[in-house]
Every structure is written in structure tokens, then in C-alpha cells.
Amino acid sequence: MAEGTRARRWVRALSPLTPHRTRREWVADGVLFAVSLWSWYYYAFLIHPSFVDGVSDWFWPVDQVLGFVACLLLWWTRRYPRTVGLLLVLPGALAITASLPTLIGVFRMAKWSRPLSSVAITALHIATALPYHWVFPLPDMPLIVWLVTIPLMYALVLCGGLLARSRRQVIEGLRESAARDRERYEERLTSTRRDERERIAREMHDVLAHRVSLLSVHAGALEYRTDPDRTATPPTTQEIHEAAVVIRENAHRAVEDLGELLTVLHEDEVSMRPQPRLRDIPQLVAEARLAGESVDIEMAVPRDGLRESMQRTAFRAVQEGLTNARKHAPHATVRVVVAEQDDDLLVEVENAVPVGLTSAEIPGGGRGLVGLAERVRLEGGRMDAAVRDGRFRLTVVLPSGAR
């Protein structure tokens, strides 16, 4: 079994069909082999007899065999360029019919091997080819011409192979650079898409959490007032009507807000309604009070002149604070402060921490504070959310230097 495996490895290693060639490579190798074979046939059978007068009759068949072997060795130059270059030293030194395949082999060796080894093997070719004229003198060719022609011919082929090698390396480098640029572009595109999804998710949370919490408060109040086991004073028809109107309006607004956000996902340019600003905070507080939330507000800042992104972040901070208080402390009084502090914009939302949680509260996932912290970070501000002395305080400080 081991011997069979070893034999198959040797067959694959010596097979001219490996490595796998593309169609273009098959054409190139086939053309070079055909040209070399034609050159061998021309020198072996079609050349004028006077050209080989200097070659002994007994050696001419050896010359022909060496030339044919040199042609066959070209099929292995792509996989073993240096080995083939060394094997071609003997045909190149002794056989006229191996002249062209030997030069092609040196060219391909220089193209696919390291330059230092290619130069050394080419020098060996030159050193072994020069004595041929003394052993088998060629007619009508002075020795000095032979001594000059052989080194120049091998040097020209070597330089051509080295230039082809450099060109191939440049092309491969450009392809690798293009591949890296494409990967970096895809990474940037993925990062941009992720950031956009996170931005849309923050907008959806900020808008829908506020609306849904209002719905929950009114629905919870109706549930409590209409339960005969909990209260003896059922709500009047007017109170039920007012609660239903608030629920319907906030549900409609939630659907509208969600529709606008979903439209952003499908269109590049949309006409969005104006983004919330500082002047919209009183309306936000009024909606909270209408839902039964106790809110005290202190607002002493110019409602215009600040950056729109900063005003939007301040609005979202107040919105998040009211939403969290509505979820986790539904009966606590919320204190909202929006003021200037040392050339910065201070937003503070504070409420008492409830002793326990009731089943009517909406569970919080913490995503609102995470999204708000990201907004504040992008504005270059700082945020703090912590419980101190039995009260939960959300503090956001935004630099208001640029107006």
C-alpha cells in the first residue's frame, strides 16, 4: 500500500499535466513546444549538410536525441524551472538541435526562479557552451564570433526572462492591492451599514418607546379603573373617551413615526419632517403630563442658535428620561432641568427610585441609555446615569461652543 502511494506521488510529481494550467497557459506552453519542436526538426532533418560537416557521423544521432529531450523538458519548466534549467545544460552544450529549446528554458527559468539562481545557471550554460566550437567547429563561423555571440545570446534571453518576472510581480502586486482595496471598501461599507442600522434602531427606540409607554400608562389606568376588585369608583364615560382618544392619537403617531423610519430604509432621499429641537421639549412635557405623569421643568436656555444635532440630542435625553421614569417609577415626580452651565448645555432628568416594581410596568432593556450615550459621545459631550440618595439622575452635558 505504501509503495503504491509513493508510486502515485512520483507519477503526479513527474507528470507534465501538473500543475493545473489555465487555457491561456496551455496555449502558451503548447506554442513554445511546437516552435521548439519545429526548430529541432529543422536542424535535425532539413538543414544543409554542409552545416553539420564538423559533427561526427556517430554523434549526430546523439545530437538529435538530446535536442528532442530538450523540447520535451519544456513541459516541466512551469513547475520545476531551476531543475529544468540545470538539465538543459547538457543538451545546450552538446547539441545544435537543442539550441532554441535551451534558450526558451533559460528564459522561463529566469521568469519563474529567483534572479540569483537564474544568473548562476545561465553562467553555467555559457561556460559549457563555449567549448563546442573547438570540439565541433561550425563552418563559416570564426571562433571570435562564437565567443561573442553565445554570451550575448544567453544574456539577452536572461534579461528578457527577468523583465517578464518583474512584470509578473508588478501585475500580481497590483492585483493584491486591488483585492486589499476591495476588502477595505467592503469593510467600510459593512461598517457604514451597521452604523446606519444602529442609528435607525436608536431613532426607533427613542420615538416608539415614548409612544408605547404613553399607551401603556393609559391602558393600565383603564384596566385598573374598570376592575371591580380594585376600585369602587368606575371611570365615567367621558374619562374612558378621553383615555381612548389619547391611546388612539399616540398609536397613530407611533405608526406614522415607524412608517417614516421604514421609508428611510428604502429611499435615499426622502422629505422628512423637521427633527425635534429644544423648543419642542415643553410639548413633550405636556404630553407626559396629559398621560398622568407629574413633571416639573426648569428651562432657561435660548431655544434657537444651538446646533441642530445638539438640540436633537438634548430633546432625546429628556424624552429618554421621561420614558424611563414612566416605565420604572410611574407615580414619582420627575424633575427636568435644561440650562446653560459654563458655556455648555446641561440636561438633567431626576426622579425618585421606586421601592419595588409592579407587574404593570414595562420591562426596560437598557437600549435607550446605550443609544443616548452614543449620541452624546458623537456630540463630544458626557453622560452620567446613576442612583444617588434614593433618586435616579440622568445628566447630559453637551458642549455648546459652536453656535
Side-chain angles (χ1 to χ4, degrees):
M1 181 67 68
E3 294 180 357
T5 303
R6 191 179 298 110
R8 286 193 294 271
R9 288 178 180 175
W10 275 104
V11 170
R12 286 196 298 268
L14 298 178
S15 173
L17 301 179
T18 54
H20 176 73
R21 293 177 174 87
T22 63
R23 181 179 300 178
R24 183 177 180 180
E25 292 172 345
W26 272 111
V27 172
D29 293 351
V31 169
L32 290 178
F33 175 73
V35 172
S36 300
L37 196 62
W38 169 251
S39 172
W40 168 81
Y41 179 75
Y42 173 79
Y43 280 107
F45 301 104
L46 301 180
I47 196 171
H48 195 273
S50 63
F51 188 78
V52 295
D53 283 344
V55 181
S56 301
D57 294 338
W58 65 268
F59 189 76
W60 187 242
V62 177
D63 190 303
Q64 293 173 332
V65 172
L66 290 176
F68 185 73
V69 170
C71 294
L72 293 178
L73 287 175
L74 294 181
W75 285 108
W76 283 269
T77 52
R78 190 176 294 275
R79 189 175 187 184
Y80 307 110
R82 281 182 295 182
T83 302
V84 173
L86 286 172
L87 292 176
L88 286 174
V89 169
L90 182 61
L94 301 177
I96 294 177
T97 57
S99 301
L100 184 60
T102 300
L103 293 175
I104 293 176
V106 171
F107 174 84
R108 307 193 92 186
M109 175 189 64
K111 181 179 179 180
W112 288 317
S113 299
R114 294 180 179 178
L116 185 60
S117 60
S118 300
V119 172
I121 296 174
T122 303
L124 181 60
H125 273 274
I126 296 173
T128 56
L130 287 177
Y132 183 87
H133 198 278
W134 279 290
V135 180
F136 303 114
L138 297 177
D140 300 328
M141 180 172 288
L143 179 61
I144 187 63
V145 176
W146 175 265
L147 295 178
V148 173
T149 302
I150 292 301
L152 288 178
M153 191 163 48
Y154 275 100
L156 180 62
V157 172
L158 175 66
C159 291
L162 293 177
L163 288 175
R165 170 186 172 85
S166 299
R167 178 179 178 274
R168 179 173 57 86
Q169 289 179 336
V170 169
I171 293 176
E172 290 178 355
L174 292 176
R175 288 175 178 173
E176 292 176 358
S177 177
R180 289 193 298 268
D181 292 341
R182 183 170 58 252
E183 290 178 359
R184 286 194 291 265
Y185 170 76
E186 292 177 353
E187 290 176 358
R188 290 195 300 269
L189 184 60
T190 301
S191 177
T192 302
R193 289 175 176 173
R194 182 176 61 252
D195 294 341
E196 185 65 15
R197 287 195 297 267
E198 291 177 356
R199 185 187 68 82
I200 293 173
R202 288 195 299 268
E203 291 288 343
M204 292 181 69
H205 177 275
D206 293 340
V207 174
L208 296 183
H210 174 69
R211 298 297 180 190
V212 172
S213 63
L214 291 176
L215 294 176
S216 176
V217 168
H218 285 279
L222 284 178
E223 179 186 9
Y224 181 83
R225 294 288 303 278
T226 55
D227 189 351
D229 296 334
R230 295 183 179 181
T231 179
T233 58
T236 64
T237 303
Q238 181 64 24
E239 291 175 337
I240 295 177
H241 174 73
E242 292 176 355
V245 169
V246 173
I247 292 175
R248 180 183 60 79
E249 289 180 351
N250 281 279
H252 181 67
R253 291 175 183 175
V255 171
E256 287 183 346
D257 294 337
L258 180 59
E260 290 181 350
L261 291 173
L262 293 178
T263 303
V264 176
L265 296 175
H266 298 286
E267 297 183 9
D268 295 333
E269 298 181 359
V270 293
S271 56
M272 298 292 291
R273 69 181 183 183
Q275 294 297 311
R277 303 169 64 90
L278 287 177
R279 60 171 174 263
D280 298 320
I281 292 180
Q283 181 182 354
L284 181 67
V285 172
E287 291 180 356
R289 288 171 175 170
L290 186 61
E293 196 170 6
S294 177
V295 183
D296 295 333
I297 181 172
E298 299 177 12
M299 191 167 179
V301 294
R303 300 184 182 183
D304 295 310
L306 299 176
R307 296 194 308 270
E308 291 188 6
S309 60
M310 178 188 299
Q311 296 189 51
R312 183 166 59 251
T313 301
F315 178 89
R316 295 304 185 193
V318 176
Q319 186 181 58
E320 180 64 23
L322 293 176
T323 301
N324 284 337
R326 194 179 303 121
K327 290 180 180 179
H328 306 295
H331 304 297
T333 299
V334 184
R335 178 173 171 268
V336 177
V337 176
V338 182
E340 286 186 309
Q341 183 185 62
D342 299 332
D343 294 331
D344 293 334
L345 180 63
L346 172 67
V347 178
E348 189 174 83
V349 182
E350 181 183 4
N351 61 269
V353 177
V355 177
L357 299 177
T358 65
S359 59
E361 295 183 27
I362 304 173
R367 296 184 181 274
L369 292 177
V370 173
L372 180 60
E374 180 66 16
R375 289 177 181 272
V376 173
R377 184 187 67 81
L378 293 176
E379 288 293 328
R382 60 184 185 274
M383 187 189 90
D384 178 67
V387 176
R388 295 185 180 89
D389 300 329
R391 298 184 67 82
F392 176 79
R393 183 179 293 111
L394 172 63
T395 304
V396 174
V397 179
L398 300 172
S400 58
R403 297 198 174 196

